[in-house]
Amino acid sequence: MSYSQIEYSILGAVARIDHARPEMRNAESSVLLDEMDDALSAAIANDDVRAIVIGGKGPHFSAGHDLKEGQMKRANFTVEQRYEYEEKRYLGYCLRIWDCPKPTIASVRGAAIAGGFMVANMCDLIIDSDDAFFADPVCRTLGAAAVEVLVHPWVMGLRAAKDFLFTGRRVYADEALRMGMVNRVVPSAELDAETMKYAEEIASAPPFAIKLTKRSLNRVADQQGFRNSLQAHFDTHELSHMSQEFQAVRD
Ligand code: ZN
């Protein structure tokens, strides 16, 4: 598969998958998400790859789902059509990042909003530039129940997640670091180099031991209800697409 909206590169033992629509602030169209999922499969299948970075070309990680495309192509979807579309591309693809047997690192510069927030937070680790920020304004601006994958309480804590979603405000890199939502913050000019250093450090560890350690850590979250709560929220989110509040914004 040749890619038009992402860049896929292999640098030694590290695979990089970058959102590559900088002129659209890396908005996640259906093509972009399909390509990202395809590249993830390629990185998993490549025995030389021991760590996977997900990033973005240009000044932003991603402004979220491509809402213009959604308005043009999916505004009048039935419940069944929307559920199928979002179950595959949003919930399904996100869980594939979560379940990836190799360690994943999100490298975030600028905005990681809504769908972009979701993708970054499905990665095992996050490294941020000091100008990075996160937001999920979907509840306030679209009248929907947050984004499709409610990873928020798992990565920022329950009370912070409520503040984040009820206000729709931005959380900048330093606050994200204090919350424990990101692992490292570096100056913007050094983000790419520091990301590679971080990824190479992890790629140098015994891969089978890392794979099993990740399985155990993810099972801690599953024992606490991670997967079930994500699936339950997905259904709730789909319900919110049919609310009068949501439809009034859409129209
Ligand atoms: Zn949705």
Side-chain angles (χ1 to χ4, degrees), residues 3 6-8 17 34-44:
Y3 301 127
I6 65 156
E7 267 186 39
Y8 178 59
I17 304 169
D34 288 348
E35 290 183 354
M36 190 167 271
D37 186 66
D38 187 83
L40 183 72
S41 297
I44 292 169

Side-chain angles (χ1 to χ4, degrees), residues 65 82 86 90 138 144-148 234 237-238 240-241 246:
H65 297 151
R82 186 185 292 277
E86 298 198 348
Y90 301 158
V138 166
V147 283
E148 289 76 11
F234 178 77
H237 172 90
E238 292 306 307
S240 75
H241 276 306
F246 178 82

Side-chain angles (χ1 to χ4, degrees), residues 83-178:
Y83 195 100
E84 189 185 351
Y85 181 87
E86 298 198 348
E87 185 181 37
K88 175 182 175 180
R89 290 199 172 73
Y90 301 158
L91 179 62
Y93 286 175
C94 272
L95 285 173
R96 280 166 48 74
I97 298 172
W98 180 261
D99 289 328
C100 170
K102 298 180 181 181
T104 52
I105 303 170
S107 179
V108 179
R109 175 180 281 121
I113 299 174
F117 173 90
M118 211 162 87
V119 166
N121 276 290
M122 297 314 282
C123 293
D124 299 317
L125 304 163
I126 302 184
I127 181 169
D128 264 4
S129 67
D130 49 13
D131 63 352
F133 64 91
F134 299 88
D136 181 353
V138 166
C139 172
R140 295 182 63 105
T141 58
L142 296 182
V147 283
E148 289 76 11
V149 179
L150 195 72
V151 66
H152 315 46
W154 299 91
V155 295
M156 59 172 48
L158 191 56
R159 202 169 301 278
K162 288 176 179 172
D163 170 63
F164 185 66
L165 291 169
F166 294 175
T167 66
R169 73 179 177 87
R170 294 177 174 187
V171 164
Y172 281 90
D174 56 342
E175 186 181 2
L177 185 67
R178 283 201 304 278

Side-chain angles (χ1 to χ4, degrees), residues 16-20 26 54-61 107 109 192:
R16 250 199 99 112
I17 304 169
D18 281 296
H19 298 72
N26 288 330
I54 298 182
K57 291 284 169 192
H60 299 291
F61 180 81
S107 179
R109 175 180 281 121
D192 291 342

